[in-house]
Amino acid sequence: MTRRIYELAKELDVEIRVVLNTMYELGLFIRSAASTITPEEEKQIREKLHRDP
């Protein structure tokens, strides 16, 4: 199931720009905060955000 970037940011209680910056660092393609991400991309983002202070 795909979800929107802004939904993930809200769930993680971080600003959208934090998620977008993380995606950029991971080399994931970004169109906008309303873009959808795959479950695998979501997993990568969550792991990256939990490792970084």
Side-chain angles (χ1 to χ4, degrees):
M1 182 173 145
T2 61
R3 68 186 313 172
R4 305 258 180 213
I5 296 169
Y6 67 82
E7 293 173 333
L8 178 61
K10 184 176 180 179
E11 181 182 320
L12 296 174
D13 196 29
V14 297
E15 294 182 17
I16 292 171
R17 67 177 178 80
V18 173
V19 176
L20 295 175
N21 288 341
T22 301
M23 292 181 71
Y24 177 78
E25 291 173 8
L26 292 170
L28 301 174
F29 180 70
I30 305 165
R31 289 195 81 143
S32 74
S35 296
T36 57
I37 54 175
T38 65
E40 180 58 37
E41 291 170 332
E42 180 179 346
K43 181 181 175 189
Q44 290 178 310
I45 294 165
R46 285 179 181 274
E47 288 175 355
K48 174 82 171 153
L49 287 174
H50 287 297
R51 281 191 296 228
D52 289 349

